[in-house]
Structures are given as structure tokens and as C-alpha cells.
């Protein structure tokens, strides 16, 4: 199995602008990417050196392919093209809660295509085992990916994981990192150093910054 | 194993006020409760007729215990009190994405206490297998439940399930129902009948109402 980790290096995490400046968004996005790569490295079996698929060069100590096309096109080009091609796992770079266990659940999933939904209609990870798998990351992609699998006559499964479902796009998502990231998490360490703390405000837990 | 489903019947789902009036919030909360009870009924093994633990009377076609104390006290009184007591699962009533599979993962979890986190620091389900398990549903309860387990010297585990993690409290959460509820879902049918549809708005998918 090949593993591809798409990473927006050009203008990372713009929806975190209310709480992080541009340099901080870049540093935090790289911390999340490091956490995903660490979890991939810890997942068993280990024959899956990942490729970071970035829209601009990034220095992260991993194999990087730069492809500045839209995500749908760049990921589409990385999927299996022929029946004998290795399966391909696509794991987003903004999943700082992810663990080796959660990834192993993804890799062990059934179907020509396995989909791990993200909050708000996204598709945070998938495994493509058939050359007819197609991706479309516009809009509510999980719905499109089901539709595309159905249209191609493929078997598909869904992976039920909160750790895979929790991508970090908006300020409220930072609370999830403080609550659930593994102890060794670079993302959590970065937020701690930047002065973020949990804020208990009646409803769901948010964050404050010192 | 006993199963307890806490249900706020008195003033259900107040944070949905921007999109649902009081009668609608009550009807939708009951639809979600029915979905949770249906998933419990479908989960194997079937020796777990649940008790709805409500803060006011509710007619739902299930065994109901009314306890109008705060949630922490009402659930605390339902937990195992002696070493020989059956384990107790506590499953919240606002989890319309839940399936029998997700519940079986909860029931099969390890530890004196197993915790299924909810988005924003909540604890959406747990299994208590020891009389020293305590609950505290104020604030970021998942953090408190870890702390209480540690303080009592208990082994605990966490259950990684998006379906268990997705409680419905706020309007944006309704999109998750439309995207992910099982086909037979009463909650989804209710939202469909009330005119809710997915709204694709750049970031995460939300809802609109006709």
C-alpha cells in the first residue's frame, strides 16, 4: 500500500486566521503534518513510507511531491491507475488526533474503497483499491465519494473513527487537540507553547489564548 | 450489563432554538432518542433492555425512570454500587448517528471504565464495570472522567467512534444527521419532513430550512 498525505503548504489553515497569524498558521500546520507522519510511522506494518503531496515545497523530513493543481486533481493522479497497482491510502495532514491504532483501522477496512468521514461532510482519509476509484474534494465530499463509488459499481465501506474525523480548520477545533491529542503530539506542544488553554463556556469547550 | 439512556425531557435541546421552536425541539429530541433505542435493540447480544433516565415523564415505548436531579447525580445513582453489580453502560440520547456496530464496540471495550468522547469535551457514552467509577458531567467531562478514573486507581480505555462522538446540540450538528444517519433513522426522517437540507457554503457543510 502506498500512502499519500496531501498538505496545503501554500496558504495553510486560513480559517484559523482569527487566532493565528500567517507564520503561526504555517508552523502549526507543519506540526499537525509531523503528527500524522509520526502516527503513520508507528502504524504496523511499516511498509508504507508516505509521500507528502504538497501544493508548494515544504521541508518536513519526508518524501515530498509538489503538485500545485487543485486537491481533487492532485490526489486523483496519485490513485491506482491499473488493476495491478498497489492500493493507495490518502490521509489528510490536519488530523492531529490520529494514532497508529486509528490508521490501522483504516488500512484494515474492507471494500474497493474505504472512506473515513470528517466533520462537516469532508473525507479525511480513504483507501483506494481499484483503478475505478475517483475523488472529488469539492463541497460535501463524503457524499460525492459515496455517489462516485456507487456509479462505478464499487463496494465501499466507511471507517468509524473520531480521531480520523477530527480535522482542524476552525478555532473551536483547537480544543479537540488540547483534549485528545496523544501525549507526544507536536501540535499539542505547539498550542501549549503559544499559550492556548481550554475555555469552559457552558456549551462545548473552546479555547482561549493568554 | 445494564444500559441507561439519560434524556433531557424537561427543556430539550435549547441550543437548537435558532432553527427549531420548543415543540419541534421536543419532537426532534424524541426522534433521536428513538434512534438510540433502536440501535441498542439491534446490538448483539440482546440482553440489554435499556432504561431511559429522564428528568421529566416521556412517552417513548420504553422503560423510563424519572429522576429530576442534575445529570451527574442521576447517572451517578445508576452506576454499579457493589463489586458484584452488573456493569452499566450510559449512552446519551442525542446520538442519532449511532449504530449497533458502534454500540458493540463500546460494549466490547476494555477497562474498569470505558469512555467515548463527544465533540467539545463531552462524554457521550461510557461503560462502568467497577463500583469506584464516578461521573461528573459539568464542563469538559471527558477530562474529568479521566481524572476521576486515575484518582480511583482504575484502568480506563477510550472508544474511538465518530458515531458515538457526534451528539446533536447546535444547528451545524444537524448536517451530520443528514450526512451520516442510517437510512432508517427517525431523526433524519424528521429533519427531512421539517424541510432541512444540506447547505454547501465553502467551509463545513451546514443546513438550510425551506
Amino acid at each position: 500500500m502506498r500512502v499519500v498525505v496531501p498538505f496545503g503548504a501554500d496558504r495553510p489553515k486560513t480559517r484559523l486566521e482569527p487566532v493565528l497569524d500567517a507564520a503561526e498558521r504555517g508552523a502549526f500546520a507543519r506540526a499537525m503534518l509531523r503528527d500524522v507522519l509520526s502516527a503513520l510511522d508507528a502504524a504496523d506494518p511499516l511498509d508504507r513510507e508516505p509521500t507528502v503531496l504538497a501544493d508548494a515545497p515544504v521541508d518536513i523530513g519526508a518524501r515530498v511531491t509538489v503538485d500545485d493543481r487543485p486537491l481533487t486533481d492532485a490526489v486523483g493522479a496519485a490513485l491506482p491507475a491499473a488493476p495491478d497497482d498497489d492500493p493507495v491510502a490518502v490521509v489528510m495532514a490536519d488530523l492531529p488526533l490520529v494514532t497508529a491504532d486509528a490508521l490501522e483501522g483504516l488500512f484494515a477496512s474492507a471494500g474497493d474503497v474505504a472512506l473515513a468521514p470528517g466533520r462537516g461532510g469532508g473525507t479525511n482519509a480513504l483507501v483506494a483499491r481499484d483503478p475505478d476509484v475517483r475523488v472529488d474534494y469539492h463541497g460535501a465530499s463524503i457524499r460525492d465519494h459515496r455517489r462516485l463509488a456507487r456509479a462505478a459499481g464499487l463496494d465501499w465501506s466507511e471507517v468509524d473513527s473520531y480521531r480520523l474525523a477530527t480535522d482542524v480548520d476552525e478555532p473551536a477545533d483547537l480544543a479537540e487537540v488540547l483534549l485528545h491529542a496523544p501525549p507526544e503530539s507536536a501540535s499539542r506542544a505547539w498550542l501549549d507553547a503559544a499559550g492556548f488553554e481550554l475555555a469552559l463556556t457552558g456549551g462545548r469547550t473552546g479555547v482561549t489564548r493568554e
Side-chain angles (χ1 to χ4, degrees), chain A residues 173-196:
Chain A
D173 303 332
L174 300 178
E176 304 299 324
V177 183
L178 297 178
L179 285 161
H180 297 298
E184 68 279 12
S185 163
S187 312
R188 180 184 203 149
W190 194 93
L191 291 176
D192 285 341
F196 284 91

PDB file of all heavy atoms in Angstrom, chain A residues 173-196:
ATOM      1  N   ASP A 173     -11.862  23.935  16.798  1.00  0.00           N
ATOM      2  CA  ASP A 173     -11.232  22.624  16.649  1.00  0.00           C
ATOM      3  C   ASP A 173      -9.965  22.496  17.501  1.00  0.00           C
ATOM      4  O   ASP A 173      -9.523  21.378  17.803  1.00  0.00           O
ATOM      5  CB  ASP A 173     -10.866  22.365  15.192  1.00  0.00           C
ATOM      6  CG  ASP A 173     -12.057  22.452  14.255  1.00  0.00           C
ATOM      7  OD1 ASP A 173     -13.187  22.193  14.706  1.00  0.00           O
ATOM      8  OD2 ASP A 173     -11.852  22.771  13.070  1.00  0.00           O
ATOM      9  N   LEU A 174      -9.367  23.637  17.840  1.00  0.00           N
ATOM     10  CA  LEU A 174      -8.135  23.575  18.636  1.00  0.00           C
ATOM     11  C   LEU A 174      -8.401  22.930  19.993  1.00  0.00           C
ATOM     12  O   LEU A 174      -7.510  22.295  20.566  1.00  0.00           O
ATOM     13  CB  LEU A 174      -7.542  24.973  18.808  1.00  0.00           C
ATOM     14  CG  LEU A 174      -7.160  25.689  17.504  1.00  0.00           C
ATOM     15  CD1 LEU A 174      -6.634  27.087  17.816  1.00  0.00           C
ATOM     16  CD2 LEU A 174      -6.121  24.884  16.726  1.00  0.00           C
ATOM     17  N   ALA A 175      -9.627  23.082  20.500  1.00  0.00           N
ATOM     18  CA  ALA A 175      -9.959  22.438  21.781  1.00  0.00           C
ATOM     19  C   ALA A 175      -9.800  20.926  21.676  1.00  0.00           C
ATOM     20  O   ALA A 175      -9.368  20.270  22.635  1.00  0.00           O
ATOM     21  CB  ALA A 175     -11.381  22.801  22.203  1.00  0.00           C
ATOM     22  N   GLU A 176     -10.131  20.371  20.523  1.00  0.00           N
ATOM     23  CA  GLU A 176     -10.001  18.912  20.358  1.00  0.00           C
ATOM     24  C   GLU A 176      -8.545  18.471  20.501  1.00  0.00           C
ATOM     25  O   GLU A 176      -8.262  17.402  21.027  1.00  0.00           O
ATOM     26  CB  GLU A 176     -10.562  18.484  19.002  1.00  0.00           C
ATOM     27  CG  GLU A 176     -12.011  18.895  18.759  1.00  0.00           C
ATOM     28  CD  GLU A 176     -12.988  18.310  19.763  1.00  0.00           C
ATOM     29  OE1 GLU A 176     -12.784  17.157  20.176  1.00  0.00           O
ATOM     30  OE2 GLU A 176     -13.938  19.012  20.150  1.00  0.00           O
ATOM     31  N   VAL A 177      -7.638  19.317  20.010  1.00  0.00           N
ATOM     32  CA  VAL A 177      -6.209  18.986  20.129  1.00  0.00           C
ATOM     33  C   VAL A 177      -5.812  18.975  21.603  1.00  0.00           C
ATOM     34  O   VAL A 177      -5.143  18.046  22.068  1.00  0.00           O
ATOM     35  CB  VAL A 177      -5.348  19.984  19.340  1.00  0.00           C
ATOM     36  CG1 VAL A 177      -3.874  19.578  19.418  1.00  0.00           C
ATOM     37  CG2 VAL A 177      -5.804  20.076  17.888  1.00  0.00           C
ATOM     38  N   LEU A 178      -6.243  20.012  22.327  1.00  0.00           N
ATOM     39  CA  LEU A 178      -5.879  20.083  23.750  1.00  0.00           C
ATOM     40  C   LEU A 178      -6.531  18.962  24.551  1.00  0.00           C
ATOM     41  O   LEU A 178      -5.988  18.496  25.541  1.00  0.00           O
ATOM     42  CB  LEU A 178      -6.275  21.449  24.325  1.00  0.00           C
ATOM     43  CG  LEU A 178      -5.551  22.652  23.708  1.00  0.00           C
ATOM     44  CD1 LEU A 178      -6.064  23.949  24.320  1.00  0.00           C
ATOM     45  CD2 LEU A 178      -4.038  22.551  23.886  1.00  0.00           C
ATOM     46  N   LEU A 179      -7.689  18.520  24.114  1.00  0.00           N
ATOM     47  CA  LEU A 179      -8.407  17.474  24.858  1.00  0.00           C
ATOM     48  C   LEU A 179      -7.928  16.063  24.507  1.00  0.00           C
ATOM     49  O   LEU A 179      -7.963  15.172  25.368  1.00  0.00           O
ATOM     50  CB  LEU A 179      -9.904  17.552  24.552  1.00  0.00           C
ATOM     51  CG  LEU A 179     -10.673  18.693  25.220  1.00  0.00           C
ATOM     52  CD1 LEU A 179     -11.995  18.926  24.491  1.00  0.00           C
ATOM     53  CD2 LEU A 179     -10.929  18.380  26.700  1.00  0.00           C
ATOM     54  N   HIS A 180      -7.536  15.820  23.265  1.00  0.00           N
ATOM     55  CA  HIS A 180      -7.419  14.436  22.795  1.00  0.00           C
ATOM     56  C   HIS A 180      -6.125  14.075  22.085  1.00  0.00           C
ATOM     57  O   HIS A 180      -5.944  12.894  21.760  1.00  0.00           O
ATOM     58  CB  HIS A 180      -8.573  14.126  21.829  1.00  0.00           C
ATOM     59  CG  HIS A 180      -9.926  14.216  22.458  1.00  0.00           C
ATOM     60  ND1 HIS A 180     -10.317  13.404  23.491  1.00  0.00           N
ATOM     61  CD2 HIS A 180     -10.971  15.041  22.208  1.00  0.00           C
ATOM     62  CE1 HIS A 180     -11.554  13.719  23.843  1.00  0.00           C
ATOM     63  NE2 HIS A 180     -11.974  14.701  23.084  1.00  0.00           N
ATOM     64  N   ALA A 181      -5.266  15.036  21.790  1.00  0.00           N
ATOM     65  CA  ALA A 181      -4.045  14.662  21.070  1.00  0.00           C
ATOM     66  C   ALA A 181      -3.196  13.748  21.944  1.00  0.00           C
ATOM     67  O   ALA A 181      -3.191  13.878  23.170  1.00  0.00           O
ATOM     68  CB  ALA A 181      -3.258  15.910  20.682  1.00  0.00           C
ATOM     69  N   PRO A 182      -2.479  12.812  21.336  1.00  0.00           N
ATOM     70  CA  PRO A 182      -1.621  11.934  22.131  1.00  0.00           C
ATOM     71  C   PRO A 182      -0.556  12.746  22.874  1.00  0.00           C
ATOM     72  O   PRO A 182      -0.235  13.860  22.464  1.00  0.00           O
ATOM     73  CB  PRO A 182      -0.966  11.027  21.057  1.00  0.00           C
ATOM     74  CG  PRO A 182      -1.820  11.146  19.834  1.00  0.00           C
ATOM     75  CD  PRO A 182      -2.434  12.524  19.893  1.00  0.00           C
ATOM     76  N   PRO A 183      -0.029  12.203  23.955  1.00  0.00           N
ATOM     77  CA  PRO A 183       0.914  12.956  24.793  1.00  0.00           C
ATOM     78  C   PRO A 183       2.123  13.482  24.024  1.00  0.00           C
ATOM     79  O   PRO A 183       2.617  14.569  24.307  1.00  0.00           O
ATOM     80  CB  PRO A 183       1.361  11.936  25.850  1.00  0.00           C
ATOM     81  CG  PRO A 183       0.335  10.868  25.847  1.00  0.00           C
ATOM     82  CD  PRO A 183      -0.291  10.845  24.492  1.00  0.00           C
ATOM     83  N   GLU A 184       2.589  12.720  23.041  1.00  0.00           N
ATOM     84  CA  GLU A 184       3.800  13.114  22.318  1.00  0.00           C
ATOM     85  C   GLU A 184       3.511  14.088  21.182  1.00  0.00           C
ATOM     86  O   GLU A 184       4.411  14.424  20.402  1.00  0.00           O
ATOM     87  CB  GLU A 184       4.497  11.863  21.772  1.00  0.00           C
ATOM     88  CG  GLU A 184       3.741  11.136  20.667  1.00  0.00           C
ATOM     89  CD  GLU A 184       2.626  10.208  21.166  1.00  0.00           C
ATOM     90  OE1 GLU A 184       2.261  10.277  22.357  1.00  0.00           O
ATOM     91  OE2 GLU A 184       2.111   9.413  20.349  1.00  0.00           O
ATOM     92  N   SER A 185       2.273  14.558  21.092  1.00  0.00           N
ATOM     93  CA  SER A 185       1.830  15.354  19.949  1.00  0.00           C
ATOM     94  C   SER A 185       2.611  16.659  19.788  1.00  0.00           C
ATOM     95  O   SER A 185       2.679  17.494  20.695  1.00  0.00           O
ATOM     96  CB  SER A 185       0.348  15.681  20.136  1.00  0.00           C
ATOM     97  OG  SER A 185      -0.034  16.743  19.300  1.00  0.00           O
ATOM     98  N   ALA A 186       3.136  16.878  18.592  1.00  0.00           N
ATOM     99  CA  ALA A 186       3.790  18.149  18.265  1.00  0.00           C
ATOM    100  C   ALA A 186       2.767  19.280  18.201  1.00  0.00           C
ATOM    101  O   ALA A 186       3.065  20.414  18.584  1.00  0.00           O
ATOM    102  CB  ALA A 186       4.529  18.025  16.935  1.00  0.00           C
ATOM    103  N   SER A 187       1.572  18.973  17.726  1.00  0.00           N
ATOM    104  CA  SER A 187       0.530  20.003  17.619  1.00  0.00           C
ATOM    105  C   SER A 187       0.124  20.523  18.990  1.00  0.00           C
ATOM    106  O   SER A 187      -0.043  21.727  19.205  1.00  0.00           O
ATOM    107  CB  SER A 187      -0.714  19.424  16.932  1.00  0.00           C
ATOM    108  OG  SER A 187      -0.374  18.721  15.779  1.00  0.00           O
ATOM    109  N   ARG A 188      -0.043  19.580  19.895  1.00  0.00           N
ATOM    110  CA  ARG A 188      -0.427  19.977  21.250  1.00  0.00           C
ATOM    111  C   ARG A 188       0.685  20.794  21.903  1.00  0.00           C
ATOM    112  O   ARG A 188       0.421  21.813  22.556  1.00  0.00           O
ATOM    113  CB  ARG A 188      -0.693  18.707  22.050  1.00  0.00           C
ATOM    114  CG  ARG A 188      -1.093  18.962  23.460  1.00  0.00           C
ATOM    115  CD  ARG A 188      -1.218  17.608  24.150  1.00  0.00           C
ATOM    116  NE  ARG A 188      -2.074  17.683  25.306  1.00  0.00           N
ATOM    117  CZ  ARG A 188      -2.818  16.677  25.740  1.00  0.00           C
ATOM    118  NH1 ARG A 188      -2.814  15.521  25.106  1.00  0.00           N
ATOM    119  NH2 ARG A 188      -3.559  16.830  26.807  1.00  0.00           N
ATOM    120  N   ALA A 189       1.940  20.360  21.722  1.00  0.00           N
ATOM    121  CA  ALA A 189       3.063  21.103  22.288  1.00  0.00           C
ATOM    122  C   ALA A 189       3.111  22.514  21.699  1.00  0.00           C
ATOM    123  O   ALA A 189       3.378  23.489  22.417  1.00  0.00           O
ATOM    124  CB  ALA A 189       4.374  20.358  22.017  1.00  0.00           C
ATOM    125  N   TRP A 190       2.819  22.608  20.393  1.00  0.00           N
ATOM    126  CA  TRP A 190       2.850  23.922  19.763  1.00  0.00           C
ATOM    127  C   TRP A 190       1.767  24.824  20.370  1.00  0.00           C
ATOM    128  O   TRP A 190       2.022  25.994  20.701  1.00  0.00           O
ATOM    129  CB  TRP A 190       2.648  23.785  18.246  1.00  0.00           C
ATOM    130  CG  TRP A 190       2.989  25.039  17.508  1.00  0.00           C
ATOM    131  CD1 TRP A 190       4.190  25.357  16.942  1.00  0.00           C
ATOM    132  CD2 TRP A 190       2.131  26.167  17.310  1.00  0.00           C
ATOM    133  NE1 TRP A 190       4.132  26.619  16.402  1.00  0.00           N
ATOM    134  CE2 TRP A 190       2.881  27.143  16.610  1.00  0.00           C
ATOM    135  CE3 TRP A 190       0.815  26.458  17.659  1.00  0.00           C
ATOM    136  CZ2 TRP A 190       2.351  28.374  16.250  1.00  0.00           C
ATOM    137  CZ3 TRP A 190       0.290  27.693  17.308  1.00  0.00           C
ATOM    138  CH2 TRP A 190       1.049  28.630  16.609  1.00  0.00           C
ATOM    139  N   LEU A 191       0.570  24.307  20.532  1.00  0.00           N
ATOM    140  CA  LEU A 191      -0.519  25.111  21.113  1.00  0.00           C
ATOM    141  C   LEU A 191      -0.217  25.493  22.555  1.00  0.00           C
ATOM    142  O   LEU A 191      -0.488  26.619  22.988  1.00  0.00           O
ATOM    143  CB  LEU A 191      -1.845  24.349  21.040  1.00  0.00           C
ATOM    144  CG  LEU A 191      -2.433  24.147  19.643  1.00  0.00           C
ATOM    145  CD1 LEU A 191      -3.700  23.299  19.731  1.00  0.00           C
ATOM    146  CD2 LEU A 191      -2.752  25.484  18.974  1.00  0.00           C
ATOM    147  N   ASP A 192       0.337  24.558  23.306  1.00  0.00           N
ATOM    148  CA  ASP A 192       0.725  24.869  24.689  1.00  0.00           C
ATOM    149  C   ASP A 192       1.717  26.040  24.709  1.00  0.00           C
ATOM    150  O   ASP A 192       1.558  27.006  25.459  1.00  0.00           O
ATOM    151  CB  ASP A 192       1.374  23.644  25.344  1.00  0.00           C
ATOM    152  CG  ASP A 192       0.369  22.566  25.713  1.00  0.00           C
ATOM    153  OD1 ASP A 192      -0.840  22.876  25.798  1.00  0.00           O
ATOM    154  OD2 ASP A 192       0.791  21.413  25.928  1.00  0.00           O
ATOM    155  N   ALA A 193       2.742  25.929  23.855  1.00  0.00           N
ATOM    156  CA  ALA A 193       3.782  26.970  23.835  1.00  0.00           C
ATOM    157  C   ALA A 193       3.225  28.311  23.376  1.00  0.00           C
ATOM    158  O   ALA A 193       3.722  29.364  23.777  1.00  0.00           O
ATOM    159  CB  ALA A 193       4.937  26.530  22.934  1.00  0.00           C
ATOM    160  N   ALA A 194       2.184  28.267  22.538  1.00  0.00           N
ATOM    161  CA  ALA A 194       1.582  29.506  22.028  1.00  0.00           C
ATOM    162  C   ALA A 194       0.574  30.099  23.003  1.00  0.00           C
ATOM    163  O   ALA A 194      -0.022  31.147  22.721  1.00  0.00           O
ATOM    164  CB  ALA A 194       0.914  29.245  20.684  1.00  0.00           C
ATOM    165  N   GLY A 195       0.362  29.428  24.129  1.00  0.00           N
ATOM    166  CA  GLY A 195      -0.494  29.998  25.162  1.00  0.00           C
ATOM    167  C   GLY A 195      -1.955  29.626  25.085  1.00  0.00           C
ATOM    168  O   GLY A 195      -2.793  30.247  25.745  1.00  0.00           O
ATOM    169  N   PHE A 196      -2.300  28.622  24.326  1.00  0.00           N
ATOM    170  CA  PHE A 196      -3.706  28.214  24.246  1.00  0.00           C
ATOM    171  C   PHE A 196      -4.084  27.337  25.436  1.00  0.00           C
ATOM    172  O   PHE A 196      -3.319  26.477  25.874  1.00  0.00           O
ATOM    173  CB  PHE A 196      -3.972  27.444  22.945  1.00  0.00           C
ATOM    174  CG  PHE A 196      -4.059  28.333  21.748  1.00  0.00           C
ATOM    175  CD1 PHE A 196      -2.922  28.614  21.002  1.00  0.00           C
ATOM    176  CD2 PHE A 196      -5.255  28.921  21.390  1.00  0.00           C
ATOM    177  CE1 PHE A 196      -2.991  29.456  19.898  1.00  0.00           C
ATOM    178  CE2 PHE A 196      -5.324  29.766  20.284  1.00  0.00           C
ATOM    179  CZ  PHE A 196      -4.192  30.024  19.541  1.00  0.00           C
TER     180      PHE A 196
END
